[in-house]
Amino acid sequence: MPEVKTSQMLLIDRLYAGEMPSKEEFVQLLSCHSREDSEYLFKLARQVRENIYGKDVYIRGLVEFTNYCRNNCYYCGIRRGNRNLCRYRLYDSEIYNCCDEGYSLGFRTFVLQGGEDMYFTRERLCAIIENIKKKHPDCAVTLSVGERDYKDYLAWYESGADRYLLRHETATEEHYNKLHPGEMSLSHRKECLLQLKEIGYQTGAGFMAGSPYQTLECIAEDLYFLHELKPHMVGIGPFISQKDTPFAGKENGTLEQTLFLLGITRLMLPYVLLPATTALGTIAPEGREMGLLAGANVVMPNLSPAGAREKYCLYDNKLSTGGESAQCIQLLRESIEKTGGRMVTGRGDCKLLQDL
């Protein structure tokens, strides 16, 4: 512990003690911190995580089952308007095969992720969820398929889905409108998140660090929104541009800012499930490991068929091989152990859900 704490460390101490700094103080913290401040934050974040989760790092098997999407978000490579993308949908049998393989490798959570593809109707996804849970009743199923009707969310939950990931992307309406076309609205996205929590899902929100037009004031709003929502999971990864989008060539988010935000989130929401994302591993060779050292406790390697992985191009150069591939389970275990963590093959539910 440093002999003399900086003003930034004192702000970090307040977060550690459960006090929310003002938005202005968050802007100050984000705009002016040293490497020593960052290391101090990460040390406390690891301490908070270990007090609740010990050394455990949870693994999720990611199944990217469709890259069709009805939306035209300006940052996303699978946007409706991308005419250069080779589209695909996995057959139901392919999804089950991914889960069967994942189960044999030790995965006990499957994340079904895709664009907002209306081919996968309420009934079709209900059947898929029910079949996965029937075959693997000791596993959790996480959905990440965007904004849908309340009745869809309810039906999928009643069919056995346990968790739902829906990044809010930004809590500032002006910023949201610069990232999305006019037919989409921040108010509807927030409404979906509230519905998911009301139904009973372990619910995940989150945002991109360094997205175009994002200011530090925007990030402060994001942190306040997350604190108010109290999600069970938070996904924060760096913005990475994609060559076939309106944001092609835009400056990417940074490793340093993303890691700092992971540490802040761990202190702000101690019990949250916090992934070290594939995007972190894309912008830095050991980005995922650095995410774990900053307070994350989840990794989500890819279980999708090899031929589909390169087509799910949310951003350029997205990793899906090596340690990002679920089949390389030993590499994954070793990378986690390098950080002092222990790979856990259970469901990995959020602890003390009643506190959230």
Side-chain angles (χ1 to χ4, degrees):
M1 184 173 294
E3 293 183 7
V4 178
K5 292 185 179 179
T6 66
S7 60
Q8 309 297 54
M9 290 176 184
L10 294 174
L11 271 176
I12 292 167
D13 282 341
R14 287 167 54 192
L15 261 176
Y16 177 72
E19 178 186 344
M20 275 292 280
S22 69
K23 293 176 186 177
E24 293 76 15
E25 288 172 322
F26 268 132
V27 170
Q28 175 193 348
L29 182 59
L30 292 165
S31 65
C32 182
H33 56 266
S34 66
R35 182 174 178 178
E36 289 73 23
D37 295 329
S38 295
E39 290 304 320
Y40 183 68
L41 169 65
F42 300 153
K43 180 181 178 181
L44 291 183
R46 291 193 298 271
Q47 181 179 320
V48 168
R49 181 195 64 199
E50 290 180 15
N51 286 344
I52 298 166
Y53 290 102
K55 302 289 186 182
D56 293 353
V57 174
Y58 301 127
I59 58 172
R60 318 312 200 183
L62 182 61
V63 182
E64 297 161 336
F65 67 99
T66 174
N67 71 350
Y68 282 84
C69 190
R70 61 178 172 173
N71 292 330
N72 222 8
C73 306
Y74 302 144
Y75 50 83
C76 183
I78 66 170
R79 65 195 304 266
R80 183 183 73 236
N82 185 357
R83 304 300 181 210
N84 296 323
L85 181 62
C86 180
R87 302 284 178 176
Y88 75 91
R89 295 182 177 108
L90 298 187
Y91 292 109
D92 295 3
S93 59
E94 292 179 293
I95 296 173
Y96 303 145
N97 288 340
C98 290
C99 294
D100 291 345
E101 181 182 14
Y103 193 87
S104 69
L105 291 169
F107 290 84
R108 295 298 179 266
T109 288
F110 305 117
V111 181
L112 305 186
Q113 184 179 84
E116 291 192 18
D117 182 357
M118 304 312 288
Y119 169 83
F120 287 96
T121 61
R122 180 190 309 166
E123 294 75 17
R124 189 181 296 272
L125 268 178
C126 280
I128 290 171
I129 296 161
E130 288 167 0
N131 286 329
I132 293 172
K133 296 289 277 197
K134 183 178 180 180
K135 183 80 175 287
H136 305 296
D138 56 332
C139 293
V141 171
T142 301
L143 298 178
S144 181
V145 292
E147 299 177 31
R148 299 287 289 256
D149 291 341
Y150 180 91
K151 290 181 180 179
D152 291 349
Y153 291 152
L154 181 61
W156 297 335
Y157 183 76
E158 291 176 343
S159 294
D162 303 274
R163 310 183 187 123
Y164 202 103
L165 304 175
L166 181 65
R167 285 189 179 184
H168 67 280
E169 299 302 3
T170 176
T172 306
E173 188 160 5
E174 180 182 0
H175 185 215
Y176 187 92
N177 293 338
K178 291 180 177 180
L179 301 180
H180 303 88
E183 66 264 21
M184 299 180 69
S185 74
L186 177 59
S187 62
H188 185 258
R189 203 160 187 90
K190 288 181 175 180
E191 181 184 357
C192 288
L193 283 164
L194 294 175
Q195 289 174 348
L196 290 164
K197 284 199 72 180
E198 176 190 327
I199 288 168
Y201 284 97
Q202 293 181 51
T203 303
F207 61 96
M208 296 176 289
S211 60
Y213 311 110
Q214 185 184 65
T215 65
L216 296 182
E217 287 77 12
C218 291
I219 296 177
E221 289 288 346
D222 287 320
L223 295 172
Y224 260 73
F225 173 72
L226 290 172
H227 185 257
E228 180 181 355
L229 179 66
K230 292 182 171 52
H232 308 92
M233 304 170 281
V234 172
I236 300 175
F239 164 76
I240 304 175
S241 67
Q242 206 280 336
K243 61 183 176 59
D244 296 314
T245 69
F247 289 166
K250 292 283 189 182
E251 185 177 354
N252 291 338
T254 67
L255 174 70
E256 187 276 333
Q257 185 184 59
T258 307
L259 295 174
F260 200 78
L261 289 167
L262 288 175
I264 287 175
T265 303
R266 173 59 65 198
L267 296 190
M268 187 176 69
L269 299 169
Y271 294 100
V272 80
L273 295 167
L274 193 61
T277 64
T278 299
L280 267 178
T282 299
I283 63 171
E286 295 190 349
R288 184 177 56 193
E289 291 82 354
M290 295 172 75
L292 295 174
L293 290 170
N297 66 332
V298 173
V299 292
M300 298 197 298
N302 208 316
L303 273 172
S304 308
R309 294 178 192 180
E310 64 182 21
K311 299 174 186 174
Y312 200 80
C313 53
L314 302 177
Y315 49 83
D316 287 341
N317 304 313
K318 177 172 168 281
L319 295 183
S320 61
T321 58
E324 297 297 334
S325 169
Q327 288 75 16
C328 296
I329 194 76
Q330 187 56 34
L331 279 178
L332 182 66
R333 187 187 308 275
E334 290 171 2
S335 71
I336 290 170
E337 290 176 352
K338 275 170 54 179
T339 70
R342 176 179 59 241
M343 190 180 81
V344 175
T345 58
R347 281 172 47 113
D349 290 303
C350 179
K351 293 196 176 181
L352 298 182
L353 294 176
Q354 65 270 22
D355 286 359
L356 294 169

